[in-house]
Amino acid sequence: MAPGLRIQVAPRSSDLMACVESVARLTGRPRGALHLQALLQLPRIADENGLATAALVEPLLRELAWELPASLEWSVGTNPDSSPSSLRFQDVNLDEGRKVMERFHYLRSARLDGRIYGLREETGRLVALAVSSPLDVDRLTDLLRSEQAATATARVLSRVFAFEGAPPNTISYLLSKGGRSERRLGVTDWVTYVNPNMGFSGVSYLASAWHLLGEEPGTTYRYLDNRYTTDRELAAKFGPHDDDAYARLLGDRFAKSKMPLAPLLVFSRHLSKSHSVSV
């Protein structure tokens, strides 16, 4: 790819996908996982129009690829024609959940304040996990209140992940089983974010009785030491500050995206007593 080529950082950018596919083949890393890393990490070097030169994109993609587990680690041996009901639902301990989230989830960060639910093969291999965390974001609380939902008994579906090769509908089955467990613990509502800048649409949630609750505008990505970091991680490490304060405190270690990013979508589901299992 010509070094001067300007690549659009967007989910459907054909030039970006071509670059991702080339690096994935070279490094033996999964194309899908590397594409998600590209969409998350490249806004740091993209300009105000969402463009970055191939001379910058390709070396960064190679760095990102070598940080990912090899392709074989992303797959499970479950029969692809099997039902997710053949998997064993259970709580996942914090240490195992943290390792999966930090190595395989596209954010590469764990939520350590939640309940972790998982589905396993008979061998004990984890196939999918979901994390239910406390509701501690003001915007989510406000959106729930706009629907007269009980915010005191609501939680956030903060992480969801399934390995490649999981049976169809694994995520919807896991969320249904996890929703039942949450309901027994007194939780009445789940909310979750969907990031369209990563190519996610929320269609699978809509098909599983969730609904669009609203948007969170002003999406900006923040970076520490040239890698994406969540606002929660920044605050935990350095205290809660605005961007100007982080820039003064961290200098060149801190950066934020310049390109325009779409608002995050917020979806909600009421965990009724008749919560059914969808397979």
Side-chain angles (χ1 to χ4, degrees):
M1 190 169 286
L5 177 67
R6 288 164 65 78
I7 296 174
Q8 187 77 47
V9 180
R12 297 185 180 180
S13 168
S14 57
D15 288 334
L16 177 59
M17 182 54 76
C19 194
V20 166
E21 289 177 343
S22 175
V23 173
R25 286 195 301 269
L26 176 69
T27 58
R29 264 54 183 177
R31 179 185 63 182
L34 183 57
H35 188 223
L36 290 178
Q37 285 304 301
L39 294 171
L40 190 66
Q41 306 289 353
L42 292 181
R44 178 178 63 84
I45 62 173
D47 63 18
E48 291 83 353
N49 298 309
L51 297 168
T53 64
L56 293 175
V57 169
E58 290 182 324
L60 180 52
L61 283 182
R62 287 194 292 271
E63 289 181 16
L64 295 170
W66 290 121
E67 293 171 6
L68 294 173
S71 292
L72 287 176
E73 295 188 62
W74 293 81
S75 299
V76 293
T78 307
N79 184 340
D81 297 324
S82 64
S83 166
S85 61
S86 66
L87 302 173
R88 186 170 72 253
F89 173 78
Q90 61 181 209
D91 294 345
V92 175
N93 70 63
L94 186 60
D95 186 57
E96 182 181 18
R98 177 186 58 79
K99 289 177 181 177
V100 171
M101 286 182 272
E102 291 180 350
R103 298 191 71 219
F104 297 100
H105 191 275
Y106 77 94
L107 291 176
R108 293 167 64 182
S109 69
R111 281 294 298 266
L112 304 178
D113 57 352
R115 296 187 281 264
I116 308 175
Y117 301 108
L119 294 174
R120 295 185 187 276
E121 298 175 323
E122 290 183 0
T123 62
R125 171 73 189 270
L126 193 65
V127 174
L129 65 74
V131 183
S132 177
S133 298
L135 176 63
D136 60 358
V137 179
D138 290 342
R139 174 60 177 166
L140 297 181
T141 300
D142 291 342
L143 287 172
L144 282 169
R145 283 176 177 159
S146 71
E147 291 196 344
Q148 289 77 52
T151 58
T153 51
R155 286 175 72 88
V156 180
L157 182 63
S158 58
R159 296 288 186 276
V160 178
F161 176 79
F163 285 95
E164 295 179 8
N169 301 316
T170 288
I171 292 297
S172 61
Y173 181 79
L174 172 60
L175 296 187
S176 183
K177 298 284 281 187
R180 284 186 172 185
S181 294
E182 290 292 283
R183 179 70 192 186
R184 285 194 291 269
L185 294 170
V187 178
T188 58
D189 294 270
W190 253 348
V191 290
T192 194
Y193 286 114
V194 171
N195 188 346
N197 303 288
M198 302 298 296
F200 303 142
S201 66
V203 170
S204 60
Y205 286 111
L206 293 174
S208 301
W210 292 67
H211 71 278
L212 181 62
L213 184 62
E215 296 182 347
E216 182 163 309
T219 306
T220 301
Y221 293 167
R222 292 168 179 86
Y223 301 88
L224 178 66
D225 297 329
N226 296 331
R227 292 296 181 266
Y228 175 85
T229 185
T230 65
D231 294 347
R232 190 180 301 275
E233 288 176 312
L234 273 176
K237 290 177 180 177
F238 307 106
H241 302 291
D242 61 23
D243 290 335
D244 290 339
Y246 281 130
R248 290 192 298 269
L249 178 66
L250 299 170
D252 292 340
R253 296 183 63 195
F254 176 76
K256 62 178 185 177
S257 57
K258 299 176 183 177
M259 61 179 280
L261 294 166
L264 301 181
L265 306 176
V266 179
F267 286 80
S268 174
R269 176 163 189 172
H270 183 66
L271 302 178
S272 65
K273 293 181 179 179
S274 59
H275 199 92
S276 61
V277 175
S278 172
V279 296

